Amino acid sequence: MATKKKMSVFTLSMMTVAAVVSLRGLPMMAKEGLSLVFYILFSTIMFLIPASLVAAELGGAFSDKGGGVYTWIKEAFGSRWGFTAIWLQWIQNVVWYPTVLGFAASCLAYLFMQPAMAQNGVYTGIVILVCYWMATFLTLAGTGVASSVTKYGVLLGTVLPGVVVIILGLLWIDQGNPIAFLNAGQVADVASKLGHPHARLFPHITGLGSVAFLAGIILLFAGVEVHAVHANEMENPSRQFPESMFLSAAVIFLLFMLGSLAVAAVVPASEISLTAGLMQAFKQLFDKFDIGFLTPVMGLLAAFGAIGGVMSWIGGPSRGLLETAKQGEIPPFMAKVNKNGVQINILLIQGVIVSLLAALYFIMDNVSVAFFVLSAMTVTLYLVMYILMYAAAIRLRLTRPDLPRSYKVPGGIVGMCLVAGIGLIGVTFSLVVGFFPPTNLPVGNPALYVGLVAAGLVVFVGLPLVINACKKPGWRQVGK
Protein backbone atom coordinates (compact mmCIF):
# COMPACT_ATOMS: atom_id res chain seq x y z
CA MET A 1 0.00 0.00 0.00
CA ALA A 2 2.83 2.40 0.84
CA THR A 3 4.07 2.32 -2.76
CA LYS A 4 0.82 3.95 -3.88
CA LYS A 5 1.18 6.97 -1.61
CA LYS A 6 3.46 8.91 -3.89
CA MET A 7 1.50 12.03 -4.76
CA SER A 8 3.10 15.24 -3.51
CA VAL A 9 1.43 18.46 -2.40
CA PHE A 10 2.74 20.17 -5.55
CA THR A 11 1.45 17.45 -7.90
CA LEU A 12 -2.02 17.39 -6.35
CA SER A 13 -2.08 21.20 -6.33
CA MET A 14 -1.23 21.32 -10.02
CA MET A 15 -3.88 18.68 -10.76
CA THR A 16 -6.39 20.84 -8.85
CA VAL A 17 -5.30 23.97 -10.70
CA ALA A 18 -5.71 22.02 -13.95
CA ALA A 19 -9.22 20.99 -12.92
CA VAL A 20 -10.21 24.54 -11.98
CA VAL A 21 -8.21 26.96 -14.11
CA SER A 22 -8.92 26.97 -17.78
CA LEU A 23 -7.60 29.92 -19.73
CA ARG A 24 -10.86 29.72 -21.68
CA GLY A 25 -12.37 31.62 -18.74
CA LEU A 26 -10.22 34.71 -19.23
CA PRO A 27 -12.24 36.00 -22.23
CA MET A 28 -15.53 35.46 -20.37
CA MET A 29 -14.30 37.61 -17.47
CA ALA A 30 -12.51 40.11 -19.72
CA LYS A 31 -15.75 40.70 -21.63
CA GLU A 32 -17.10 42.37 -18.50
CA GLY A 33 -14.44 45.11 -18.67
CA LEU A 34 -13.17 46.54 -15.40
CA SER A 35 -16.21 45.13 -13.59
CA LEU A 36 -14.49 41.75 -13.86
CA VAL A 37 -12.75 42.78 -10.61
CA PHE A 38 -16.16 42.71 -8.91
CA TYR A 39 -17.03 39.31 -10.38
CA ILE A 40 -13.71 37.72 -9.42
CA LEU A 41 -13.77 39.10 -5.88
CA PHE A 42 -17.39 37.96 -5.51
CA SER A 43 -16.52 34.47 -6.78
CA THR A 44 -13.44 34.27 -4.55
CA ILE A 45 -15.17 35.41 -1.35
CA MET A 46 -18.54 33.73 -1.91
CA PHE A 47 -17.29 30.56 -3.56
CA LEU A 48 -13.58 29.74 -3.87
CA ILE A 49 -12.62 30.39 -0.24
CA PRO A 50 -15.62 28.59 1.32
CA ALA A 51 -15.28 25.66 -1.09
CA SER A 52 -11.53 25.32 -0.38
CA LEU A 53 -11.99 25.45 3.40
CA VAL A 54 -14.88 22.98 3.44
CA ALA A 55 -13.15 20.61 0.99
CA ALA A 56 -9.97 20.75 3.10
CA GLU A 57 -11.90 19.74 6.24
CA LEU A 58 -13.95 16.99 4.62
CA GLY A 59 -11.01 15.70 2.58
CA GLY A 60 -8.83 15.46 5.68
CA ALA A 61 -11.58 13.82 7.74
CA PHE A 62 -12.20 11.08 5.17
CA SER A 63 -8.74 10.83 3.63
CA ASP A 64 -8.65 7.08 4.33
CA LYS A 65 -11.73 6.47 2.18
CA GLY A 66 -12.28 6.77 -1.56
CA GLY A 67 -15.17 8.43 -3.31
CA GLY A 68 -14.64 12.14 -2.62
CA VAL A 69 -17.95 14.00 -2.38
CA TYR A 70 -19.79 10.68 -2.54
CA THR A 71 -18.30 9.63 0.78
CA TRP A 72 -18.66 13.06 2.41
CA ILE A 73 -22.34 13.45 1.59
CA LYS A 74 -23.19 9.79 2.16
CA GLU A 75 -21.81 10.08 5.69
CA ALA A 76 -24.10 13.08 6.30
CA PHE A 77 -27.29 12.26 4.43
CA GLY A 78 -27.10 8.63 3.31
CA SER A 79 -26.16 6.84 0.11
CA ARG A 80 -29.00 8.26 -2.02
CA TRP A 81 -27.75 11.84 -1.72
CA GLY A 82 -24.11 10.77 -1.77
CA PHE A 83 -24.75 9.11 -5.11
CA THR A 84 -26.70 12.14 -6.34
CA ALA A 85 -23.76 14.40 -5.45
CA ILE A 86 -21.08 12.37 -7.23
CA TRP A 87 -23.45 11.89 -10.17
CA LEU A 88 -23.89 15.66 -10.48
CA GLN A 89 -20.14 16.22 -10.21
CA TRP A 90 -19.68 13.64 -12.95
CA ILE A 91 -22.47 14.67 -15.32
CA GLN A 92 -21.83 18.42 -15.10
CA ASN A 93 -18.28 17.65 -15.96
CA VAL A 94 -19.44 15.60 -18.97
CA VAL A 95 -21.53 18.58 -20.15
CA TRP A 96 -18.50 20.85 -19.55
CA TYR A 97 -16.07 18.93 -21.81
CA PRO A 98 -17.40 20.42 -25.08
CA THR A 99 -16.97 23.96 -23.72
CA VAL A 100 -13.32 23.61 -22.71
CA LEU A 101 -12.49 21.69 -25.87
CA GLY A 102 -14.25 24.39 -27.89
CA PHE A 103 -11.63 26.71 -26.42
CA ALA A 104 -8.91 24.22 -27.44
CA ALA A 105 -10.29 24.30 -30.98
CA SER A 106 -9.99 28.09 -31.12
CA CYS A 107 -6.37 27.88 -29.92
CA LEU A 108 -5.54 25.31 -32.59
CA ALA A 109 -7.06 27.61 -35.22
CA TYR A 110 -4.28 30.08 -34.38
CA LEU A 111 -1.74 27.24 -34.58
CA PHE A 112 -2.92 26.67 -38.16
CA MET A 113 -2.78 30.46 -38.76
CA GLN A 114 -6.50 30.43 -39.61
CA PRO A 115 -8.14 32.50 -36.81
CA ALA A 116 -11.48 32.63 -38.66
CA MET A 117 -11.90 28.89 -38.14
CA ALA A 118 -12.43 29.57 -34.41
CA GLN A 119 -15.94 30.78 -35.29
CA ASN A 120 -16.73 27.77 -37.47
CA GLY A 121 -19.05 25.36 -35.65
CA VAL A 122 -18.22 22.31 -37.81
CA TYR A 123 -14.48 22.74 -37.31
CA THR A 124 -15.02 23.25 -33.55
CA GLY A 125 -17.21 20.17 -33.26
CA ILE A 126 -14.68 17.97 -35.08
CA VAL A 127 -11.80 19.15 -32.86
CA ILE A 128 -13.88 18.49 -29.73
CA LEU A 129 -14.54 14.90 -30.77
CA VAL A 130 -10.92 14.16 -31.75
CA CYS A 131 -9.39 15.74 -28.62
CA TYR A 132 -11.89 14.21 -26.23
CA TRP A 133 -11.48 10.66 -27.45
CA MET A 134 -7.70 11.07 -27.51
CA ALA A 135 -7.80 12.20 -23.86
CA THR A 136 -10.05 9.25 -23.00
CA PHE A 137 -7.65 6.71 -24.51
CA LEU A 138 -4.73 8.30 -22.65
CA THR A 139 -6.70 8.09 -19.40
CA LEU A 140 -7.38 4.41 -20.02
CA ALA A 141 -3.60 3.87 -19.95
CA GLY A 142 -3.65 4.44 -16.18
CA THR A 143 -3.36 7.05 -13.44
CA GLY A 144 0.38 7.53 -14.00
CA VAL A 145 -0.05 8.61 -17.63
CA ALA A 146 -3.05 10.81 -16.83
CA SER A 147 -1.35 12.59 -13.91
CA SER A 148 1.80 13.24 -15.99
CA VAL A 149 -0.13 14.74 -18.89
CA THR A 150 -2.23 16.75 -16.43
CA LYS A 151 0.77 18.13 -14.52
CA TYR A 152 2.74 19.16 -17.59
CA GLY A 153 -0.42 20.32 -19.30
CA VAL A 154 -1.17 22.77 -16.50
CA LEU A 155 2.44 23.98 -16.26
CA LEU A 156 3.09 24.40 -19.99
CA GLY A 157 -0.43 24.99 -21.23
CA THR A 158 -2.06 26.98 -18.41
CA VAL A 159 0.47 28.52 -16.02
CA LEU A 160 3.06 29.44 -18.69
CA PRO A 161 0.60 31.08 -21.14
CA GLY A 162 -1.12 32.74 -18.17
CA VAL A 163 2.17 34.24 -16.96
CA VAL A 164 3.09 35.32 -20.50
CA VAL A 165 -0.19 37.15 -21.11
CA ILE A 166 0.09 38.84 -17.70
CA ILE A 167 3.68 40.04 -18.33
CA LEU A 168 2.92 41.24 -21.86
CA GLY A 169 -0.25 42.93 -20.61
CA LEU A 170 1.79 44.84 -18.04
CA LEU A 171 4.31 45.84 -20.72
CA TRP A 172 1.41 46.96 -22.94
CA ILE A 173 0.17 49.26 -20.18
CA ASP A 174 3.70 50.43 -19.23
CA GLN A 175 4.41 51.57 -22.80
CA GLY A 176 1.36 53.83 -22.81
CA ASN A 177 -0.83 51.82 -25.18
CA PRO A 178 -4.61 52.36 -24.94
CA ILE A 179 -6.24 50.29 -22.18
CA ALA A 180 -9.42 48.78 -23.62
CA PHE A 181 -11.31 48.43 -20.33
CA LEU A 182 -10.79 52.18 -19.67
CA ASN A 183 -12.20 53.15 -23.06
CA ALA A 184 -13.53 56.67 -22.59
CA GLY A 185 -16.67 56.04 -24.60
CA GLN A 186 -17.69 52.99 -22.62
CA VAL A 187 -16.98 54.57 -19.25
CA ALA A 188 -18.79 57.78 -20.10
CA ASP A 189 -21.82 55.93 -21.40
CA VAL A 190 -22.24 53.82 -18.27
CA ALA A 191 -21.25 56.67 -15.95
CA SER A 192 -24.04 58.81 -17.38
CA LYS A 193 -26.50 56.14 -16.38
CA LEU A 194 -25.14 55.49 -12.92
CA GLY A 195 -24.00 58.97 -12.00
CA HIS A 196 -20.43 58.26 -10.86
CA PRO A 197 -17.05 58.14 -12.63
CA HIS A 198 -16.04 54.58 -11.75
CA ALA A 199 -18.98 52.89 -13.45
CA ARG A 200 -17.00 49.97 -14.87
CA LEU A 201 -15.92 48.75 -11.45
CA PHE A 202 -19.45 47.45 -10.89
CA PRO A 203 -21.87 45.74 -13.27
CA HIS A 204 -24.54 47.98 -14.77
CA ILE A 205 -27.51 46.00 -13.43
CA THR A 206 -30.89 46.44 -15.14
CA GLY A 207 -32.09 42.92 -14.32
CA LEU A 208 -30.77 39.46 -13.51
CA GLY A 209 -29.82 39.05 -17.18
CA SER A 210 -27.20 41.74 -16.60
CA VAL A 211 -25.33 39.49 -14.15
CA ALA A 212 -26.02 36.19 -15.92
CA PHE A 213 -22.31 35.91 -16.67
CA LEU A 214 -21.79 35.58 -12.93
CA ALA A 215 -23.03 31.99 -13.09
CA GLY A 216 -20.47 31.19 -15.78
CA ILE A 217 -17.70 32.92 -13.85
CA ILE A 218 -18.60 31.03 -10.65
CA LEU A 219 -18.18 27.81 -12.63
CA LEU A 220 -14.65 28.87 -13.55
CA PHE A 221 -13.73 28.63 -9.84
CA ALA A 222 -15.41 25.26 -9.30
CA GLY A 223 -13.51 22.01 -8.86
CA VAL A 224 -11.23 22.48 -5.86
CA GLU A 225 -12.80 19.36 -4.34
CA VAL A 226 -12.59 17.12 -7.39
CA HIS A 227 -9.26 15.48 -6.59
CA ALA A 228 -10.21 14.56 -3.04
CA VAL A 229 -10.46 11.03 -4.45
CA HIS A 230 -6.64 11.04 -4.66
CA ALA A 231 -6.09 12.10 -1.03
CA ASN A 232 -5.23 8.59 0.14
CA GLU A 233 -2.46 8.41 -2.49
CA MET A 234 -0.44 11.00 -0.55
CA GLU A 235 2.26 10.24 2.02
CA ASN A 236 0.48 12.15 4.79
CA PRO A 237 -3.01 12.94 3.44
CA SER A 238 -4.38 14.46 6.63
CA ARG A 239 -1.75 17.24 6.46
CA GLN A 240 -0.88 17.37 2.77
CA PHE A 241 -4.40 17.47 1.31
CA PRO A 242 -5.40 20.72 3.08
CA GLU A 243 -2.02 22.23 2.09
CA SER A 244 -2.65 21.38 -1.55
CA MET A 245 -6.11 23.00 -1.34
CA PHE A 246 -4.72 26.31 -0.10
CA LEU A 247 -1.79 26.39 -2.55
CA SER A 248 -4.05 25.70 -5.51
CA ALA A 249 -6.59 28.33 -4.36
CA ALA A 250 -3.86 31.03 -4.30
CA VAL A 251 -2.61 30.11 -7.81
CA ILE A 252 -6.19 30.04 -9.15
CA PHE A 253 -7.01 33.53 -7.86
CA LEU A 254 -3.81 35.13 -9.21
CA LEU A 255 -4.06 33.57 -12.66
CA PHE A 256 -7.71 34.53 -13.08
CA MET A 257 -7.45 38.09 -11.77
CA LEU A 258 -4.25 39.15 -13.53
CA GLY A 259 -4.85 37.13 -16.70
CA SER A 260 -8.36 38.45 -17.33
CA LEU A 261 -7.23 42.03 -16.67
CA ALA A 262 -4.47 41.57 -19.25
CA VAL A 263 -6.94 40.36 -21.90
CA ALA A 264 -9.40 43.16 -21.04
CA ALA A 265 -6.62 45.74 -21.35
CA VAL A 266 -5.71 44.67 -24.88
CA VAL A 267 -8.97 43.62 -26.59
CA PRO A 268 -12.12 45.81 -26.52
CA ALA A 269 -15.04 44.05 -24.79
CA SER A 270 -17.24 44.25 -27.88
CA GLU A 271 -14.65 42.35 -29.93
CA ILE A 272 -13.87 39.55 -27.44
CA SER A 273 -14.87 36.06 -28.54
CA LEU A 274 -15.74 33.72 -25.66
CA THR A 275 -13.83 30.89 -27.30
CA ALA A 276 -10.99 32.77 -29.06
CA GLY A 277 -10.57 35.85 -26.84
CA LEU A 278 -7.32 34.65 -25.27
CA MET A 279 -5.69 34.05 -28.64
CA GLN A 280 -6.98 37.42 -29.86
CA ALA A 281 -5.05 39.02 -27.02
CA PHE A 282 -1.92 36.94 -27.67
CA LYS A 283 -1.95 37.81 -31.38
CA GLN A 284 -2.31 41.53 -30.68
CA LEU A 285 0.39 41.47 -27.99
CA PHE A 286 2.84 39.40 -30.02
CA ASP A 287 2.34 41.56 -33.10
CA LYS A 288 2.88 44.69 -31.00
CA PHE A 289 6.20 43.40 -29.68
CA ASP A 290 7.28 41.97 -33.08
CA ILE A 291 7.19 38.37 -31.95
CA GLY A 292 4.15 37.32 -33.97
CA PHE A 293 5.84 34.02 -34.85
CA LEU A 294 5.04 32.88 -31.27
CA THR A 295 1.27 33.06 -31.82
CA PRO A 296 0.91 29.51 -33.24
CA VAL A 297 3.26 28.18 -30.52
CA MET A 298 1.05 29.72 -27.84
CA GLY A 299 -2.02 28.30 -29.56
CA LEU A 300 -0.52 24.82 -29.31
CA LEU A 301 0.43 25.27 -25.64
CA ALA A 302 -2.99 26.64 -24.67
CA ALA A 303 -4.71 23.74 -26.45
CA PHE A 304 -2.40 21.31 -24.61
CA GLY A 305 -3.38 22.95 -21.33
CA ALA A 306 -7.09 22.55 -22.14
CA ILE A 307 -6.58 18.87 -22.94
CA GLY A 308 -4.63 18.45 -19.68
CA GLY A 309 -7.59 19.98 -17.84
CA VAL A 310 -9.94 17.53 -19.52
CA MET A 311 -7.76 14.61 -18.48
CA SER A 312 -7.69 15.95 -14.93
CA TRP A 313 -11.49 15.79 -14.83
CA ILE A 314 -11.85 12.49 -16.70
CA GLY A 315 -9.94 10.69 -13.94
CA GLY A 316 -11.60 12.44 -10.97
CA PRO A 317 -15.42 12.35 -10.93
CA SER A 318 -15.56 9.16 -13.00
CA ARG A 319 -13.37 7.47 -10.40
CA GLY A 320 -15.73 8.67 -7.68
CA LEU A 321 -18.60 7.20 -9.71
CA LEU A 322 -16.68 3.92 -9.85
CA GLU A 323 -16.71 3.89 -6.04
CA THR A 324 -20.50 4.15 -6.10
CA ALA A 325 -20.60 1.21 -8.50
CA LYS A 326 -18.59 -0.85 -6.01
CA GLN A 327 -21.08 0.16 -3.32
CA GLY A 328 -23.99 -1.05 -5.46
CA GLU A 329 -25.47 2.36 -6.28
CA ILE A 330 -25.42 1.83 -10.05
CA PRO A 331 -25.65 -1.28 -12.29
CA PRO A 332 -22.72 -3.73 -12.02
CA PHE A 333 -21.47 -3.20 -15.59
CA MET A 334 -20.47 0.35 -14.58
CA ALA A 335 -17.94 -1.14 -12.14
CA LYS A 336 -15.89 -2.78 -14.88
CA VAL A 337 -12.23 -1.73 -15.00
CA ASN A 338 -9.46 -2.51 -17.46
CA LYS A 339 -6.07 -4.03 -16.68
CA ASN A 340 -4.85 -0.62 -15.45
CA GLY A 341 -7.69 -0.35 -12.95
CA VAL A 342 -9.40 2.42 -14.96
CA GLN A 343 -13.21 2.58 -15.11
CA ILE A 344 -13.60 1.65 -18.79
CA ASN A 345 -17.39 1.45 -19.15
CA ILE A 346 -17.98 4.74 -17.31
CA LEU A 347 -15.48 6.49 -19.60
CA LEU A 348 -17.06 5.03 -22.73
CA ILE A 349 -20.57 6.07 -21.65
CA GLN A 350 -19.48 9.64 -20.91
CA GLY A 351 -17.70 9.68 -24.27
CA VAL A 352 -20.98 8.96 -26.05
CA ILE A 353 -22.73 11.77 -24.10
CA VAL A 354 -19.92 14.23 -24.91
CA SER A 355 -20.16 13.30 -28.59
CA LEU A 356 -23.90 14.03 -28.61
CA LEU A 357 -23.44 17.39 -26.84
CA ALA A 358 -20.70 18.37 -29.29
CA ALA A 359 -23.42 18.28 -31.96
CA LEU A 360 -24.61 21.66 -30.63
CA TYR A 361 -21.61 23.23 -32.36
CA PHE A 362 -22.71 21.72 -35.66
CA ILE A 363 -26.26 23.12 -35.49
CA MET A 364 -25.93 26.52 -33.74
CA ASP A 365 -24.88 29.51 -35.84
CA ASN A 366 -23.06 31.41 -33.08
CA VAL A 367 -20.20 29.46 -31.47
CA SER A 368 -20.13 31.82 -28.45
CA VAL A 369 -23.83 31.18 -27.78
CA ALA A 370 -23.40 27.39 -27.99
CA PHE A 371 -20.44 27.76 -25.64
CA PHE A 372 -22.46 29.76 -23.10
CA VAL A 373 -25.59 27.58 -23.25
CA LEU A 374 -23.46 24.55 -22.37
CA SER A 375 -21.69 26.54 -19.64
CA ALA A 376 -25.03 27.60 -18.11
CA MET A 377 -26.34 24.04 -18.17
CA THR A 378 -23.11 22.87 -16.55
CA VAL A 379 -23.11 25.42 -13.75
CA THR A 380 -26.68 24.70 -12.62
CA LEU A 381 -25.84 21.02 -12.17
CA TYR A 382 -22.60 21.69 -10.34
CA LEU A 383 -24.11 24.28 -8.00
CA VAL A 384 -26.69 21.76 -6.78
CA MET A 385 -23.79 19.48 -5.83
CA TYR A 386 -22.13 22.30 -3.91
CA ILE A 387 -25.35 22.95 -1.99
CA LEU A 388 -25.24 19.30 -0.86
CA MET A 389 -21.53 19.57 0.04
CA TYR A 390 -21.95 22.67 2.22
CA ALA A 391 -25.02 21.19 3.91
CA ALA A 392 -23.09 17.96 4.61
CA ALA A 393 -20.21 19.88 6.23
CA ILE A 394 -22.61 21.62 8.63
CA ARG A 395 -24.52 18.42 9.43
CA LEU A 396 -21.35 16.42 10.14
CA ARG A 397 -20.16 19.11 12.58
CA LEU A 398 -23.46 18.66 14.44
CA THR A 399 -23.90 14.88 14.25
CA ARG A 400 -20.24 13.76 14.35
CA PRO A 401 -18.34 16.40 16.33
CA ASP A 402 -15.71 13.84 17.40
CA LEU A 403 -14.83 12.78 13.85
CA PRO A 404 -11.02 13.10 13.48
CA ARG A 405 -10.37 16.17 11.34
CA SER A 406 -6.77 16.99 10.36
CA TYR A 407 -7.97 20.46 9.40
CA LYS A 408 -11.02 22.21 10.83
CA VAL A 409 -12.69 25.35 9.57
CA PRO A 410 -11.91 27.78 12.43
CA GLY A 411 -14.54 29.11 14.80
CA GLY A 412 -16.22 25.88 15.85
CA ILE A 413 -19.78 25.21 14.68
CA VAL A 414 -20.40 28.96 14.33
CA GLY A 415 -17.38 29.29 12.05
CA MET A 416 -18.49 26.34 9.93
CA CYS A 417 -22.05 27.70 9.66
CA LEU A 418 -20.65 31.09 8.64
CA VAL A 419 -18.23 29.75 6.03
CA ALA A 420 -20.59 27.13 4.59
CA GLY A 421 -23.48 29.61 4.85
CA ILE A 422 -21.61 32.16 2.75
CA GLY A 423 -20.92 29.41 0.23
CA LEU A 424 -24.60 28.43 0.19
CA ILE A 425 -25.70 32.03 -0.43
CA GLY A 426 -23.18 32.38 -3.26
CA VAL A 427 -24.16 29.18 -5.06
CA THR A 428 -27.91 29.72 -4.59
CA PHE A 429 -27.72 33.21 -6.07
CA SER A 430 -25.62 31.96 -8.97
CA LEU A 431 -28.07 29.10 -9.54
CA VAL A 432 -30.93 31.59 -9.90
CA VAL A 433 -29.14 33.97 -12.28
CA GLY A 434 -27.95 31.02 -14.37
CA PHE A 435 -31.49 30.69 -15.75
CA PHE A 436 -31.52 34.24 -17.14
CA PRO A 437 -30.17 34.77 -20.68
CA PRO A 438 -27.19 37.18 -20.63
CA THR A 439 -28.00 40.60 -22.04
CA ASN A 440 -24.62 40.85 -23.78
CA LEU A 441 -25.00 37.74 -25.95
CA PRO A 442 -27.36 37.20 -28.92
CA VAL A 443 -29.07 34.12 -27.49
CA GLY A 444 -31.94 34.29 -29.95
CA ASN A 445 -35.11 32.93 -28.37
CA PRO A 446 -34.85 33.52 -24.58
CA ALA A 447 -37.56 30.93 -23.91
CA LEU A 448 -35.53 28.27 -25.74
CA TYR A 449 -32.43 29.22 -23.76
CA VAL A 450 -34.24 28.92 -20.40
CA GLY A 451 -35.92 25.72 -21.56
CA LEU A 452 -32.61 24.07 -22.45
CA VAL A 453 -31.02 25.01 -19.12
CA ALA A 454 -34.09 23.97 -17.10
CA ALA A 455 -34.49 20.70 -19.00
CA GLY A 456 -30.85 19.84 -18.40
CA LEU A 457 -31.26 20.47 -14.68
CA VAL A 458 -34.46 18.41 -14.34
CA VAL A 459 -33.22 15.47 -16.41
CA PHE A 460 -29.74 15.20 -14.95
CA VAL A 461 -30.82 15.71 -11.32
CA GLY A 462 -33.74 13.32 -11.74
CA LEU A 463 -31.70 10.48 -13.25
CA PRO A 464 -29.69 9.56 -10.10
CA LEU A 465 -32.89 9.55 -8.02
CA VAL A 466 -34.53 7.20 -10.53
CA ILE A 467 -31.46 4.95 -10.60
CA ASN A 468 -31.36 4.90 -6.80
CA ALA A 469 -35.01 3.90 -6.65
CA CYS A 470 -34.33 1.00 -9.03
CA LYS A 471 -31.13 -0.32 -7.43
CA LYS A 472 -30.97 -3.95 -6.36
CA PRO A 473 -29.13 -5.52 -3.38
CA GLY A 474 -27.18 -7.81 -5.71
CA TRP A 475 -25.40 -4.87 -7.35
CA ARG A 476 -23.22 -4.31 -4.28
CA GLN A 477 -21.33 -7.60 -4.62
CA VAL A 478 -20.03 -6.83 -8.09
CA GLY A 479 -16.86 -4.91 -8.83
CA LYS A 480 -15.28 -5.21 -5.36
Side-chain angles (χ1 to χ4, degrees):
M1 291 297 292
T3 57
K4 294 183 179 180
K5 297 185 178 181
K6 300 177 180 178
M7 196 169 289
S8 67
V9 170
F10 179 75
T11 297
L12 187 57
S13 294
M14 289 302 99
M15 290 177 69
T16 302
V17 171
V20 177
V21 176
S22 170
L23 296 181
R24 72 180 179 88
L26 301 187
M28 179 179 290
M29 292 183 282
K31 201 170 182 67
E32 293 299 310
L34 194 56
S35 60
L36 70 86
V37 174
F38 166 82
Y39 285 106
I40 293 178
L41 287 176
F42 180 93
S43 300
T44 300
I45 295 170
M46 301 296 290
F47 185 82
L48 180 61
I49 292 175
S52 299
L53 294 176
V54 170
E57 174 169 322
L58 294 175
F62 298 102
S63 60
D64 59 333
K65 297 183 180 180
V69 296
Y70 166 69
T71 299
W72 305 346
I73 295 169
K74 181 183 74 170
E75 293 291 331
F77 299 116
S79 61
R80 173 187 295 181
W81 293 109
F83 171 55
T84 300
I86 191 65
W87 170 278
L88 290 174
Q89 188 188 60
W90 173 69
I91 198 65
Q92 70 79 27
N93 160 62
V94 173
V95 177
W96 168 81
Y97 289 134
T99 69
V100 70
L101 289 176
F103 165 73
S106 71
C107 295
L108 291 175
Y110 282 81
L111 169 65
F112 304 138
M113 302 301 288
Q114 296 291 331
M117 290 199 311
Q119 300 304 318
N120 185 296
V122 174
Y123 158 78
T124 302
I126 291 172
V127 172
I128 289 170
L129 293 174
V130 172
C131 289
Y132 180 78
W133 283 104
M134 179 181 68
T136 297
F137 292 132
L138 286 173
T139 301
L140 288 170
T143 303
V145 174
S147 62
S148 294
V149 173
T150 297
K151 181 167 70 173
Y152 290 110
V154 72
L155 288 174
L156 297 177
T158 300
V159 175
L160 178 59
V163 170
V164 170
V165 77
I166 289 168
I167 292 174
L168 292 181
L170 290 173
L171 289 174
W172 172 277
I173 294 171
D174 182 63
Q175 292 186 1
N177 294 293
I179 301 174
F181 61 71
L182 295 180
N183 179 278
Q186 290 181 337
V187 173
D189 177 59
V190 182
S192 65
K193 298 176 182 177
L194 298 184
H196 58 80
H198 301 293
R200 296 299 293 170
L201 283 171
F202 300 95
H204 175 48
I205 300 174
T206 56
L208 288 178
S210 303
V211 291
F213 264 44
L214 179 60
I217 290 174
I218 282 282
L219 177 65
L220 298 176
F221 287 81
V224 290
E225 83 298 332
V226 72
H227 286 303
V229 294
H230 296 298
N232 57 5
E233 296 177 27
M234 306 182 84
E235 203 65 48
N236 185 355
S238 62
R239 175 180 58 82
Q240 291 177 307
F241 181 75
E243 288 178 358
S244 71
M245 288 292 95
F246 300 136
L247 176 59
S248 58
V251 174
I252 291 163
F253 173 77
L254 290 173
L255 282 176
F256 274 147
M257 177 64 83
L258 299 178
S260 56
L261 280 172
V263 174
V266 175
V267 186
S270 60
E271 299 176 14
I272 294 176
S273 162
L274 290 185
T275 53
L278 178 69
M279 294 310 301
Q280 288 176 320
F282 270 128
K283 186 176 188 307
Q284 192 159 333
L285 287 167
F286 286 159
D287 289 346
K288 171 68 177 178
F289 296 110
D290 298 320
I291 49 174
F293 63 91
L294 288 178
T295 300
V297 175
M298 199 56 66
L300 177 62
L301 289 177
F304 179 48
I307 293 170
V310 166
M311 291 196 63
S312 175
W313 279 90
I314 286 178
S318 61
R319 184 169 171 178
L321 200 63
L322 175 64
E323 185 66 24
T324 70
K326 293 178 179 179
Q327 297 295 324
E329 297 292 338
I330 51 180
F333 75 91
M334 298 282 278
K336 182 180 179 181
V337 297
N338 65 7
K339 63 181 180 180
N340 298 311
V342 180
Q343 52 281 8
I344 183 169
N345 282 349
I346 291 175
L347 292 184
L348 292 177
I349 289 170
Q350 74 180 29
V352 171
I353 299 173
V354 169
S355 300
L356 292 173
L357 290 173
L360 271 178
Y361 285 93
F362 291 95
I363 63 177
M364 294 190 78
D365 294 333
N366 190 314
V367 171
S368 287
V369 173
F371 178 94
F372 195 80
V373 169
L374 285 173
S375 293
M377 190 182 298
T378 300
V379 76
T380 56
L381 298 174
Y382 209 178
L383 292 177
V384 173
M385 189 226 77
Y386 275 106
I387 289 173
L388 291 172
M389 186 183 84
Y390 289 130
I394 295 173
R395 181 174 175 80
L396 287 170
R397 276 290 190 96
L398 294 171
T399 59
R400 300 183 62 180
D402 298 328
L403 180 71
R405 294 169 169 87
S406 57
Y407 168 80
K408 293 182 71 172
V409 172
I413 184 62
V414 174
M416 172 56 81
C417 288
L418 179 62
V419 170
I422 289 172
L424 280 170
I425 293 171
V427 297
T428 303
F429 176 72
S430 300
L431 183 62
V432 172
V433 302
F435 284 95
F436 288 79
T439 55
N440 50 355
L441 268 185
V443 297
N445 186 340
L448 178 61
Y449 174 92
V450 175
L452 285 172
V453 176
L457 180 65
V458 172
V459 170
F460 289 128
V461 172
L463 276 174
L465 298 176
V466 172
I467 294 172
N468 180 267
C470 297
K471 74 175 182 179
K472 300 176 182 177
W475 289 0
R476 183 178 175 82
Q477 301 304 315
V478 180
K480 286 190 173 183

